[in-house]
Amino acid sequence: MGMGEILLKNAWVIDPISGINGEMMDIAMDGGRIVEDVSEKAEVIDAQGFLTLPGGIDSHTHTSGTKVNFGRYMSPEDMRAGRAPKKGAMHVTSGYSVPTTYGNSYKYSALGYTSLVEGAMAPLEARHTHEEFAFTPLQDSFANVLFDGNWGMLGAIEEGDIKRAAAIIAWTLSAVKGFAVKLTNPGGTEAWGFGKNVSCINQTMPRFDITPTEIIRSAIEANEILHLPHSVHLHCNNLGTPGNYTCTLGTFDIVPDLNDKRQTLYATHVQFHSYGGSGWSDFCSKSEPIARKVNMRPQIVIDMGQVMFGRTTTMTADGPMEFNLYRLHHDKWSNHDVELETGSGIIPVNYRKKNLVNSIMWAIGLELALLVESPWQCLLTTDNPNGAPFVKYPEIIALLMSKKYRDAEFATVHQDTGKRVPLPAIDRELTWHDIAVMTRAGQARALGITGVGKGYLLPGAEADIAVYPIRVDDIDPAQQYEEIIKGFSQTEYTIKRGRVVSRRGDALIHGENTTFWVKPNVPPEYDMTHDERFKQHFERYYSVRMSNYPVQEEYLHRNYCITTETDL
Amino acid sequence: MKVTITLRDRGNPLIPVEAEMVTPDVFLSGEGIIVGVGNRHVSLSDIADVHIEGTASSVGEVDIEIRGDSSRFKRVGEMMTGGSITIEGDIGMHCGNFMSGGSIEIMGSADGWLGREMKGGEIICHGDAGDYCGSGYRGGRKGMRGGSIEVVGSVGDFACEHIAGGEVIIRGNTGDYPCAEMKGGTVMILGDCSRVCANMSAGTCYVYGYADEMIPTFERIDCLERDGLRLHHFRGDVANRGHGDLYVARYGYLS
C-alpha cells in the first residue's frame, strides 16, 4: 500500500511547537510527510473543524518487553477483560492492564497516539522488546535502556573515568538498539541483588564504592558528552515510601543545566516520589515543594505518573520497591535479576477510593500537573500500567481541564484525603494548548525527536496526526467534562506516516512502525568492541559471549538510526 | 416452559461447541440462540432439534432438557439465574460458570471447571467431574462463592481451588490438591484425597476417607465424633497464617 497524497481539510489545529494555537488549516501529506501542497489527485479527508493535534507521544510507558510479558503470564485473569474478536484488519485482542501487543497498539491508536517510549528495557533482554515492538504496528517505538546496575558503567564511574562510562553507554545503546539512558533506583536495584537497597542518594552501595549521586551525575555528564537526543531518564530512589520527597528534592538539586535545547534530566512518574509523612499513618502529599523545585529549575522535566482507581499491574526494574509492595498486599509477586545490569519486580494491584493512601496518590499526580507552571515541564503519563492503564488518559485530561469534575471526583474518595492534600484549593484549569503540550509537543521536545519530524505539523514533519471529534468553540471544558472524556477517548481519524490507521476506534490497516535507535559516533580509542578490558570483563562475567550480545540490525523491522557526534 | 434440546449426530463429535447461550434466562428472553462450533457461529437449531412447549413468565418456570451427545458442549448454564437444566448424558467443560440461581442436574459425567466461580443455585452430577470442580479460573483469586455442588462420583485434580463460599459434597475420591488456597465455604470429601487444603486461609473441609500426603504445616487440635466417624481436627495452613478447619478420618504424611 502506497503512502499517497492526502489533503486533510478544515482541521482546527493546535501545534505548540510551530506556535499554532487554534487555527483552521488544511494539511497536505505526501510520502508519509507533511508537505506544502498536493496535487488535485490527492485523497481529501474532511476534518469538519475538529480539534487536530500532532500524533500523541507517550514518553514513558511499559508496553513491550520481558517485564510486560511476565505481567501477562502471571495475571491470566487480566485477559478476561478487553477481549475482542478479529475484525477487519484487527487481530484478536485481550487484556486490560497488560493487553496483548495488538491490544496496546489498537487502543493507543484510538486515543490518537502514534509514538511510544518503552520506559525500561534491560539490555540483555532487548531482543524480546524489539520483537514486541514489531507487533505494535501502529506506533513508532523507542526504548529506554537500563543502566542503573550496569557493572561496566559503574566500574568506570568508580574509577572516575566519565569518558569510559560514556563509551560503555555508547557501545551498549547501539548494541541493543536503544534510544536513551534510563536509571531506575540507581544503586538500589543493584544493591537488591545482595538483598539490600539504598536509603537515598548519598548512601554508598554494596560492592561499588559509589553513591547514587555519583551515578546520576556521571550518567548525566556522559549523556551530554555523547550528545544523545534525550536526557538521562531517571526513576528516583525510594519510590513509594512515605517521606521520599526530600530524596527527590535532593536529587533535583544535583542536576546541572548542561543543554540549551532540552532538559538535562527527565524525572519520571514523580507522583510516586512526592510523598510526605514518616509512615503510612501520617502519609501526605508533598506535591507543592516538588512543583516549586521544578518551577525553579528549567533543566528538569517530569512526568506525572498519575494513579487512577481500579485494577492494574505494577512493573518496574525497581526490585526492592516491588518487594515492599508485595509485603503490603500479600498477593502475587514476581522478582527477577538481570545479570550485571538490572532487575525487576511485578505485582498486580487494585487502587481503591476507600483506601486513604490510594486517594492521596490520586490527588498528588493531579497536583503536580496543576502546580508546575509550564506544561512543557510536566508531561501527562500514568507510567502505564503502574498508575493506571493508559486508557484512562481521557479522564485525566478532563480532571486537569475541569475544576468541577475534580471536585465531583474528590467527593467520592476517602473522606480524610482533604486533610492530607492541597488539591481542593487548586483552581487552575488547563487549556487545550496545555493539554497539547503535555501529550505530544512536550514529549517531542523532551525526547529530542523534533529533529526526526515528531511532535509538530509543519512541512517536513512526519505525517502523524490525531483528529478528535471535538469542536473547541462549542464546548466549555470546565463544565462539559464528559464531552472531553468522550472526545479524547476515540479519534475521528488517527493518521500515521501519512495513512489513516484508525477511525472511530477501529484500526483500519495492519500498519508498519519504525524503531528509532541511537548510535553515537565514537573515536576508535573509545570503541568498546576493541577494548581489551571491556572484552575480558564481558567474557568473564556474562553468560553470553560478547559477539552474541548485540541485536543485529536485521532483527529489527523498519528502523531509523539517529547518529550523534560525541565530545570523546 | 419446557425446552427439549435433542442434539443430532455431528460429523466430527470432537469439535467443541461454545454453548453459553443455552440457559433458562436466554430462552425466557426469546433471543435466537447462537452457538460456536469450532470457528463458526451457527444457530442452535442447525445442530439440534429444539422443541419448546408452553410459556413462562419468569426464569424459574423454564426447564431445559438436553439429550444426545453433549460431552463437548461447553459453558451450558453460564450466568444462569434460575430455572433448571437437566442433562441426560455427559456435559462439557465450564458447565454452570458464574451461575447464581436455579439448578443443573447431570445424569452422566461433567468435564473440567464444573460450577466455576458459581455464586448460587445447585448442581448435582451423578457421574464423575473433571479437574477444577467449583474452583476459580486461571489467575483468579476466588473460586465458588455460594450455592452447592454434589458429585456422586469422583473428581479430578484441584477441586474447589480458591473456594470462598458455598457447599460442595464429593461422594467419591478427589485427585491431587483439593481445596488448595481455600478461603471459605464447606467441602466434604467422602472418599480419599491427597495434599488437601494446601495454603488454606479459612473455611471448613471434611475428609471421611484417607488423606494422603497431608500438608505438614497444619496444627493438630483434637479429635471429635461426626457421622459415626472419629475425625482428627487440624487448623491451618500455618504457612499462610490461615485459620481454616480441616477434619480428616485417616491421614498420612509423605514418608
Side-chain angles (χ1 to χ4, degrees):
Chain A
M1 194 186 294
M3 281 164 279
E5 296 181 309
I6 295 182
L7 184 63
L8 182 68
K9 291 186 80 121
N10 306 319
W12 201 88
V13 176
I14 299 179
D15 173 0
I17 288 178
S18 314
I20 300 168
N21 187 7
E23 277 177 39
M24 199 63 90
M25 295 170 62
D26 294 346
I27 300 171
M29 291 161 254
D30 187 15
R33 296 225 161 227
I34 293 174
V35 293
E36 290 286 356
D37 223 339
V38 283
S39 69
E40 285 181 0
K41 280 182 286 181
E43 180 192 344
V44 176
I45 297 172
D46 185 1
Q48 306 162 59
F50 286 155
L51 174 64
T52 301
L53 304 176
I57 302 171
D58 199 331
S59 51
H60 190 99
T61 178
H62 300 277
T63 53
S64 304
T66 46
K67 240 184 352 273
V68 182
N69 210 38
F70 206 85
R72 294 184 186 115
Y73 296 172
M74 67 186 270
S75 297
E77 74 278 13
D78 190 68
M79 292 294 162
R80 292 189 191 186
R83 285 191 284 196
K86 182 176 158 59
K87 182 177 175 188
M90 295 164 80
H91 292 255
V92 170
T93 63
S94 67
Y96 172 64
S97 67
V98 276
T100 55
T101 56
Y102 289 119
N104 274 323
S105 197
Y106 301 152
K107 282 196 237 163
Y108 256 123
S109 195
L111 298 185
Y113 277 75
T114 53
S115 299
L116 304 176
V117 178
E118 167 54 44
M121 173 172 86
L124 190 63
E125 293 168 351
R127 278 187 178 79
H128 186 140
T129 310
H130 287 295
E131 282 165 10
E132 293 201 13
F133 280 169
F135 292 94
T136 311
L138 305 182
Q139 286 82 23
D140 287 342
S141 35
F142 302 80
N144 283 342
V145 181
L146 290 160
F147 281 97
D148 41 76
N150 187 300
W151 280 26
M153 186 193 81
L154 293 178
I157 293 173
E158 194 177 28
E159 291 163 16
D161 190 348
I162 304 290
K163 287 193 165 184
R164 186 175 172 81
I168 290 169
I169 290 173
W171 182 85
T172 311
L173 275 181
S174 45
V176 303
K177 309 292 177 276
F179 173 71
V181 176
K182 170 79 186 291
L183 300 175
T184 294
N185 187 2
T189 300
E190 173 56 26
W192 180 236
F194 301 86
K196 297 188 176 76
N197 197 352
V198 290
S199 60
C200 191
I201 55 171
N202 292 321
Q203 189 191 339
T204 305
M205 55 188 288
R207 195 171 191 287
F208 292 94
D209 186 23
I210 47 176
T211 62
T213 302
E214 289 162 281
I215 301 174
I216 296 166
R217 271 209 188 118
S218 311
I220 287 175
E221 278 177 51
N223 193 88
E224 300 309 316
I225 288 174
L226 297 174
H227 292 284
L228 300 181
H230 188 33
S231 67
V232 164
H233 195 108
L234 176 69
H235 156 141
C236 295
N237 300 99
N238 267 329
L239 183 145
T241 33
N244 64 7
Y245 82 105
T246 52
C247 183
T248 311
L249 291 176
T251 307
F252 288 179
D253 274 334
I254 61 168
V255 179
D257 190 356
L258 299 179
N259 194 307
D260 53 9
K261 290 204 195 85
R262 54 148 170 82
Q263 77 287 355
T264 307
L265 181 79
Y266 180 104
T268 189
H269 43 68
V270 173
Q271 176 275 130
F272 291 109
H273 303 275
S274 306
Y275 299 159
S278 54
W280 297 111
S281 57
D282 58 350
F283 183 79
C284 63
S285 166
K286 285 289 178 189
S287 56
E288 284 170 315
I290 297 285
R292 211 177 300 132
K293 180 69 76 184
V294 174
N295 287 337
M296 287 189 301
R297 293 181 82 77
Q299 65 267 46
I300 290 169
V301 166
I302 66 171
D303 73 54
M304 292 163 70
Q306 174 67 17
V307 158
M308 296 292 277
F309 300 107
R311 290 207 76 82
T312 192
T313 308
T314 69
M315 51 182 67
T316 164
D318 195 344
M321 190 284 296
E322 289 283 353
F323 177 62
N324 291 334
L325 268 186
Y326 163 71
R327 287 196 296 190
L328 280 178
H329 293 269
H330 217 74
D331 199 356
K332 305 180 218 190
W333 170 49
S334 149
N335 181 49
H336 182 58
D337 178 55
V338 182
E339 59 185 35
L340 303 165
E341 290 175 349
T342 181
S344 77
I346 306 165
I347 72 157
V349 296
N350 188 2
Y351 295 113
R352 292 174 303 136
K353 288 184 175 179
K354 281 192 288 186
N355 180 306
L356 178 58
V357 168
N358 293 167
S359 298
I360 296 169
M361 291 164 81
W362 169 82
I364 293 173
L366 298 173
E367 288 160 12
L368 288 170
L370 297 166
L371 294 172
V372 170
E373 284 157 16
S374 164
W376 297 93
Q377 276 186 278
C378 182
L379 308 176
L380 192 152
T381 69
T382 57
D383 186 19
N384 165 66
N386 286 300
F390 64 87
V391 292
K392 299 277 192 185
Y393 284 0
E395 285 173 52
I396 299 171
I397 293 172
L399 286 165
L400 296 176
M401 293 185 81
S402 169
K403 164 86 171 148
K404 186 178 166 194
Y405 184 32
R406 283 204 297 274
D407 288 344
E409 281 294 294
F410 197 82
T412 67
V413 302
H414 191 285
Q415 55 187 13
D416 294 341
T417 311
K419 294 175 203 149
R420 314 280 187 98
V421 304
L423 185 67
I426 303 172
D427 291 328
R428 185 175 176 195
E429 288 175 332
L430 298 188
T431 63
W432 300 103
H433 187 270
D434 292 337
I435 297 299
V437 172
M438 290 176 71
T439 54
R440 47 264 292 161
Q443 275 84 351
R445 190 174 285 176
L447 294 168
I449 53 174
T450 48
V452 293
K454 295 282 180 195
Y456 66 102
L457 295 175
L458 288 188
E462 290 239 323
D464 293 353
I465 305 172
V467 182
Y468 296 96
I470 296 173
R471 286 204 178 80
V472 168
D473 290 334
D474 291 352
I475 69 168
D476 174 9
Q479 300 298 323
Q480 292 163 281
Y481 50 83
E482 273 159 7
E483 297 294 311
I484 305 177
I485 298 174
K486 209 170 122 226
F488 278 111
S489 293
Q490 211 173 79
T491 58
E492 188 69 16
Y493 297 97
T494 303
I495 298 172
K496 173 92 200 70
R497 203 144 45 83
R499 291 194 290 178
V500 178
V501 291
S502 178
R503 174 149 166 74
R504 294 184 185 159
D506 284 342
L508 301 180
I509 57 173
H510 183 265
E512 187 195 19
N513 64 346
T514 308
T515 297
F516 289 81
W517 58 284
V518 171
K519 186 179 179 193
N521 275 332
V522 293
E525 66 270 30
Y526 283 104
D527 184 356
M528 286 295 133
T529 319
H530 308 297
D531 185 277
E532 280 311 315
R533 257 179 73 207
F534 189 70
K535 275 157 66 179
Q536 276 171 16
H537 159 87
F538 217 104
E539 300 304 338
R540 178 164 174 206
Y541 292 115
Y542 268 100
S543 62
V544 291
R545 301 210 85 101
M546 193 166 156
S547 53
N548 291 331
Y549 184 89
V551 178
Q552 305 88 326
E553 221 177 309
E554 307 80 68
Y555 205 83
L556 279 58
H557 290 216
R558 198 185 136 88
N559 66 92
Y560 184 93
C561 173
I562 301 171
T563 50
T564 67
E565 295 309 320
T566 67
D567 292 338
L568 284 171
Chain B
M1 183 193 284
K2 167 99 176 123
V3 180
T4 311
I5 301 169
T6 310
L7 304 171
R8 296 191 210 113
D9 285 344
R10 293 190 290 142
N12 183 348
L14 295 178
I15 293 177
V17 178
E18 300 281 336
E20 73 275 21
M21 289 183 85
V22 178
T23 67
D25 305 74
V26 178
F27 276 98
L28 178 71
S29 75
E31 212 180 318
I33 302 217
I34 306 293
V35 293
V37 182
N39 58 4
R40 293 177 303 124
H41 285 98
V42 300
S43 168
L44 179 62
S45 55
D46 291 348
I47 58 165
D49 297 320
V50 183
H51 182 74
I52 299 178
E53 222 174 89
T55 56
S57 55
S58 72
V59 68
E61 295 166 24
V62 182
D63 300 314
I64 300 174
E65 191 173 332
I66 301 176
R67 298 175 179 170
D69 179 9
S70 54
S71 61
R72 292 272 165 163
F73 271 60
K74 291 160 75 178
R75 298 162 71 189
V76 168
E78 182 169 291
M79 302 282 194
M80 68 188 270
T81 61
S84 76
I85 300 178
T86 309
I87 296 143
E88 292 209 335
D90 297 342
I91 191 69
M93 288 194 272
H94 294 282
C95 178
N97 269 357
F98 310 109
M99 71 186 278
S100 55
S103 64
I104 298 177
E105 187 168 6
I106 303 155
M107 299 304 176
S109 293
D111 207 337
W113 310 102
L114 176 66
R116 140 159 103 94
E117 293 172 46
M118 69 186 279
K119 299 184 184 76
E122 59 175 326
I123 297 177
I124 298 172
C125 175
H126 293 279
D128 299 332
D131 297 333
Y132 295 101
C133 171
S135 74
Y137 199 47
R138 305 274 184 222
R141 292 158 182 79
K142 266 188 178 176
M144 180 174 174
R145 291 142 219 217
S148 69
I149 299 178
E150 181 176 353
V151 181
V152 177
S154 293
V155 300
D157 296 337
F158 293 100
C160 307
E161 189 189 37
H162 288 289
I163 184 170
E167 271 183 47
V168 179
I169 300 175
I170 297 158
R171 296 195 177 271
N173 304 322
T174 77
D176 215 359
Y177 284 119
C179 305
E181 303 276 354
M182 185 168 186
K183 293 175 171 67
T186 306
V187 178
M188 291 187 67
I189 301 166
L190 304 191
D192 302 337
C193 64
S194 70
R195 296 194 268 196
V196 63
C197 289
N199 224 27
M200 88 189 288
S201 50
T204 310
C205 176
Y206 299 93
V207 181
Y208 283 8
Y210 178 67
D212 198 10
E213 291 191 32
M214 270 283 290
I215 306 290
T217 49
F218 275 78
E219 184 190 0
R220 194 164 173 283
I221 309 285
D222 53 15
C223 274
L224 55 85
E225 294 284 328
R226 189 181 149 107
D227 293 340
L229 280 171
R230 191 156 166 273
L231 299 176
H232 304 273
H233 179 195
F234 288 88
R235 178 148 306 155
D237 185 334
V238 176
N240 192 28
R241 288 177 246 160
H243 43 83
D245 293 304
L246 169 61
Y247 301 89
V248 295
R250 290 172 297 123
Y251 65 97
Y253 290 104
L254 185 68
S255 53

